């Protein structure tokens, strides 16, 4: 099976971490919510081969003297494919329940013989974010960067969309978001393509909001070799990512909802 391993990791990150978003102050964090996804590879010789899982869960925990929402996103390859490429990634944020501002982001990535860890600490009164990261066992690199209301880590961006009014999306109109990533601000460009009824494997048919997205490269200003993907989001108050598809050199990779529990609102987008 031919799979672009770097892009497979990015697809896991897309589901576990950000989807697409709007830079809103209000965000939907609901303790007890769990979203489960399956990741599959599709090509001419492999019509639909499931290769990984992703889970995003929200709880409420004490952190640094305050009450915080804790959101954890994990991505793993299925046991059958761990001999080929073993992924065990964890992303985590702590969000102040009073201000709905992210306090800290961490990642712990283990992919075969590659490891990477990072931590971002937010100082909102000073409008700065302190980032530190390293790969393998090298010394940590660190950087302070200016912070705006619309620039956040990937997991925080994921939840911004959750409180958006679907009426605010204008079909075909491009927009750009900012994502904090180690020593730079990456840009996520997206367009709302309209509403569509989408069939999800083993889950039924859903009314969805469809978006075309592209993650930029260096400093976010070049989109020529970034990650391209299409995402379908539930057309209801939950606005959860339901299906994501991204092309690779041979075939494509999909991630789709396989289970959910603890949603704050009824999943009224499910029609069959």
């Amino acid at each position: 099976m031919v799979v672009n391993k770097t892009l497979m990791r990015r697809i896991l990150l897309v589901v576990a971490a950000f989807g697409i978003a709007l830079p809103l102050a209000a965000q939907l964090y609901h303790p007890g919510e769990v979203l489960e996804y399956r990741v599959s590879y599709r090509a001419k010789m492999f019509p639909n081969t499931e290769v990984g899982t992703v889970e995003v869960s929200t709880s409420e925990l004490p952190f640094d003297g305050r009450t915080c929402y804790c959101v954890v996103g994990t991505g793993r390859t299925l046991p059958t494919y761990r001999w080929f490429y073993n992924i065990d990634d964890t992303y985590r944020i702590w969000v102040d329940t009073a201000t709905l501002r992210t306090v800290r982001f961490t990642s712990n990535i283990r992919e075969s013989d590659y490891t990477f860890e990072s931590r971002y600490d937010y100082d909102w009164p000073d409008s700065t974010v302190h980032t530190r990261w390293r790969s393998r066992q090298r010394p940590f690199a660190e950087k302070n960067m200016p912070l705006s209301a619309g620039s956040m880590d990937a997991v925080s961006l994921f939840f911004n969309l959750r409180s958006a009014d679907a009426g605010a999306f204008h079909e075909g109109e491009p927009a750009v978001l900012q994502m904090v990533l180690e020593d730079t601000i990456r840009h996520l460009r997206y367009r709302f393509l309209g509403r569509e009824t989408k069939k999800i494997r083993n889950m039924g048919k859903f009314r969805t909001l469809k978006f075309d997205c592209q993650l930029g490269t260096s400093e976010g200003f070049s989109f020529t070799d970034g990650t391209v993907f299409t995402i379908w989001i539930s057309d209801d108050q939950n606005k959860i990512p339901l299906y994501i598809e991204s092309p690779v050199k041979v075939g494509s990779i999909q991630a789709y909802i396989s289970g959910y529990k603890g949603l704050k609102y009824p999943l009224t987008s499910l029609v069959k």
Side-chain angles (χ1 to χ4, degrees), residues 196-209 232-236 242-243 257 260 267-272:
E196 180 178 301
T197 299
K198 183 72 173 175
K199 184 177 181 180
I200 308 296
R201 185 182 183 188
N202 298 325
M203 297 298 289
K205 292 182 179 180
F206 293 82
R207 288 186 292 270
T208 70
L209 306 170
W232 289 257
I233 293 172
S234 66
D235 190 4
D236 55 36
L242 295 172
Y243 194 93
I257 194 86
Y260 54 86
L267 196 66
T268 56
S269 57
L270 179 60
V271 295
K272 184 178 179 181

Side-chain angles (χ1 to χ4, degrees), residues 20 169-176 188-194 209-214 229-231:
I20 62 170
F169 299 123
H170 301 290
E171 191 169 335
E173 183 177 313
V176 178
L188 177 67
R189 183 170 61 187
Y190 69 92
R191 291 183 303 120
F192 175 48
L193 301 181
L209 306 170
K210 184 179 180 181
F211 296 84
D212 179 51
C213 312
Q214 190 167 18
F229 57 96
T230 304
I231 183 170

Side-chain angles (χ1 to χ4, degrees), residues 21-48:
L22 285 178
L24 303 176
Q27 301 174 6
L28 192 155
Y29 296 101
H30 190 55
E33 180 186 84
V34 179
L35 306 177
E36 299 172 343
Y37 298 87
R38 306 284 278 189
V39 179
S40 68
Y41 171 72
R42 182 181 299 166
K44 186 175 182 180
M45 299 298 293
F46 302 93
N48 194 3

Side-chain angles (χ1 to χ4, degrees), residues 213-241:
C213 312
Q214 190 167 18
L215 181 64
T217 57
S218 60
E219 293 296 329
F221 296 112
S222 170
F223 290 93
T224 57
D225 57 348
T227 301
V228 178
F229 57 96
T230 304
I231 183 170
W232 289 257
I233 293 172
S234 66
D235 190 4
D236 55 36
Q237 287 181 285
N238 296 291
K239 293 184 179 63
I240 57 176

Side-chain angles (χ1 to χ4, degrees), residues 29 31 58-61 67-71 93-97 100:
Y29 296 101
T58 303
S59 60
E60 190 172 292
L61 298 170
T67 302
C68 285
Y69 296 119
C70 181
V71 180
I93 60 170
W94 288 266
V95 180
D96 190 321
T97 57
L100 292 181

Side-chain angles (χ1 to χ4, degrees), residues 140-198:
F140 277 101
E142 301 187 34
K143 185 175 182 180
N144 286 325
M145 291 186 290
L147 189 64
S148 70
S151 56
M152 305 178 190
D153 60 83
V155 180
S156 300
L157 283 175
F158 171 89
F159 280 88
N160 270 308
L161 178 64
R162 308 292 299 277
S163 296
D165 178 2
F169 299 123
H170 301 290
E171 191 169 335
E173 183 177 313
V176 178
L177 300 169
Q178 297 177 344
M179 185 173 72
V180 178
L181 188 65
E182 284 91 60
D183 63 342
T184 188
I185 302 294
R186 297 283 291 277
H187 289 70
L188 177 67
R189 183 170 61 187
Y190 69 92
R191 291 183 303 120
F192 175 48
L193 301 181
R195 286 178 162 85
E196 180 178 301
T197 299
K198 183 72 173 175

